């Protein structure tokens, strides 16, 4: 296939995530102030978009509290630098079964299943420009944890996001998730321009080898905009792979804690390294205003 390199690239920084990374690196932001400051530093380093989860300020555990999202949103919007705000809507679909002989009742520790309205309540309150929609169900990492997003739930959430005027970023962890994203578009539940995030290397979704990655890319309609990332050791190789395939870049402490072997990173350092990779390939980094024009976003 011919090379289809993207020459105008935007970088998304995934600032903190929901995983148990706080115990592994002191650079992972926890409080709303820390999350906002890390997002702002990432924007100053070259990120046009910041993707934010929130955490319990006392424990560092993932949280769905609207007041924490509100504080992060207000702090980022009052900063002295412009950036596109992308809030997760992936929380509230965590299903953890009992043991293999007794899958029911569910394991109450970690199971967090709520309805569509509650899953997007912070989106309705904060009205970010973008919010994520994990477009499918999959076995996630180890044990008995299933990331649960049924077709009915996804249709309801997509409809609510579109009605709010917030652009969904479809997070696709496997080719079937792209298939369902096309169905959402066909039904008019998500609108053009469609934005896709290809999530590579997460057990047990799509592995991050190049054959699988290109299978994912080749299932993205030509008129859609996509970005891509991998986690762990291949995270800083993926900016090059994504740009060569015609896409955009995501880096950040949600996906990878290191800027080099044994060197713990900050979000700003990961963004700076991605900028160096992209510009070294001869592409241009575009900023938040260009992203808004490209994706028809509503700034608030």
């Amino acid at each position: 296939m011919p090379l289809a390199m993207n020459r105008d690239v935007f970088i998304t920084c995934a600032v903190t995530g929901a995983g148990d990374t706080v115990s592994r690196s002191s650079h992972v932001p926890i409080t709303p102030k820390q999350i906002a400051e890390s997002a702002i530093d990432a924007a100053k380093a070259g990120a046009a978009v910041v993707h934010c989860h929130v955490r319990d300020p006392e424990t560092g555990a993932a949280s769905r509290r609207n007041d924490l999202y509100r504080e992060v949103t207000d702090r980022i919007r009052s900063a002295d630098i412009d950036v596109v705000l992308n809030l997760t809507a992936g929380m509230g679909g965590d299903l953890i079964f009992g043991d293999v002989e007794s899958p029911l009742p569910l394991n109450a520790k970690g199971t967090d299943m709520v309805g569509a309205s509650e899953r997007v309540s912070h989106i309705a309150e904060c009205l970010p420009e973008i919010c994520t929609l994990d477009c499918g169900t999959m076995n996630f990492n180890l044990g008995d944890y299933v990331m649960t997003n049924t077709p009915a739930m996804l249709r309801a959430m997509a409809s609510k996001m579109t009605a709010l005027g917030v652009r969904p970023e479809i997070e696709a962890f496997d080719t079937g998730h792209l298939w369902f994203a096309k169905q959402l578009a066909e039904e008019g539940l998500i609108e053009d321009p469609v934005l896709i995030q290809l999530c590579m290397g997460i057990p047990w979704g799509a592995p991050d080898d190049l054959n699988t990655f290109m299978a994912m890319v080749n299932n993205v309609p030509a008129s859609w905009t996509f970005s891509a990332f991998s986690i762990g050791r291949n995270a800083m190789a993926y900016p090059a792979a994504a740009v060569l395939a015609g896409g955009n870049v995501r880096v950040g402490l949600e996906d990878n804690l290191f800027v080099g072997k044994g060197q713990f990173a900050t979000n700003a350092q990961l963004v700076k390294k991605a900028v160096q990779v992209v510009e070294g390939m001869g592409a241009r980094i575009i900023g938040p205003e260009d992203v808004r024009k490209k994706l028809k976003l509503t700034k608030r």
Side-chain angles (χ1 to χ4, degrees):
M1 61 180 292
L3 193 66
M5 178 176 161
N6 184 12
R7 300 286 175 178
D8 296 298
V9 177
F10 66 82
I11 295 175
T12 297
C13 182
V15 176
T16 189
D20 183 21
T21 52
V22 170
S23 62
R24 296 169 57 199
S25 171
S26 61
H27 294 306
V28 176
I30 298 172
T31 68
K33 183 175 184 289
Q34 291 170 346
I35 293 167
E37 287 177 347
S38 193
I40 292 162
D41 287 345
K44 290 177 179 178
V49 183
V50 289
H51 168 60
C52 297
H53 290 246
V54 294
R55 294 178 179 271
D56 185 305
E58 301 299 323
T59 67
S63 177
R64 290 190 290 104
R65 281 172 46 188
N66 283 21
D67 62 315
L68 300 178
Y69 279 109
R70 178 81 264 169
E71 184 177 346
V72 168
T73 298
D74 289 345
R75 286 180 178 275
I76 291 174
R77 285 179 174 159
S78 63
D80 59 356
I81 188 167
D82 187 22
V83 70
V84 173
L85 181 61
N86 174 342
L87 296 182
T88 184
M91 307 293 290
D94 299 330
L95 187 66
I96 301 181
F97 289 94
D99 64 42
V100 295
E101 299 298 339
S102 303
L104 296 178
L106 297 174
N107 187 335
K109 184 178 180 180
T111 294
D112 180 29
M113 296 289 292
V114 298
S117 295
E118 189 170 348
R119 287 184 72 172
V120 299
S121 63
H122 63 294
I123 304 301
E125 179 174 339
C126 299
L127 293 176
E129 295 167 79
I130 301 171
C131 69
T132 58
L133 184 66
D134 297 339
C135 211
T137 295
M138 71 175 227
N139 295 329
F140 206 100
N141 206 346
L142 304 174
D144 295 296
Y145 170 41
V146 179
M147 180 181 75
T148 309
N149 297 287
T150 66
M153 177 67 75
L154 290 169
R155 285 186 169 97
M157 291 176 67
S159 178
K160 292 177 185 298
M161 293 169 182
T162 299
L164 289 167
V166 177
R167 176 77 59 207
E169 179 188 72
I170 301 296
E171 296 212 337
F173 295 80
D174 218 332
T175 51
H177 299 181
L178 290 170
W179 187 6
F180 192 70
K182 294 173 189 175
Q183 183 64 30
L184 291 177
E186 185 175 320
E187 294 174 13
L189 296 174
I190 57 175
E191 299 175 341
D192 288 333
V194 176
L195 173 62
I196 296 284
Q197 186 69 251
L198 302 180
C199 310
M200 308 299 297
I202 293 96
W204 300 106
D208 63 5
D209 63 87
L210 289 178
N211 284 337
T212 304
F213 176 52
M214 289 312 300
M216 296 279 278
V217 170
N218 290 333
N219 274 284
V220 176
S223 63
W224 293 9
T225 296
F226 79 91
S227 182
F229 71 93
S230 179
I231 65 170
R233 65 185 300 173
N234 289 332
M236 292 315 300
Y238 250 73
V243 172
L244 282 174
N248 300 282
V249 170
R250 170 171 142 172
V251 293
L253 294 177
E254 177 174 352
D255 309 325
N256 162 50
L257 298 178
F258 298 92
V259 72
K261 187 173 182 179
Q263 297 176 286
F264 284 107
T266 65
N267 279 305
Q269 287 173 330
L270 293 173
V271 172
K272 286 178 183 177
K273 190 165 183 178
V275 168
Q276 291 171 352
V277 171
V278 173
E279 292 183 337
M281 296 171 67
R284 180 177 72 99
I285 300 294
I286 65 173
E289 275 306 307
D290 285 334
V291 172
R292 290 187 183 101
K293 291 174 185 175
K294 183 179 183 68
L295 299 177
K296 299 181 181 177
L297 302 177
T298 302
K299 183 180 180 182
R300 299 180 174 92

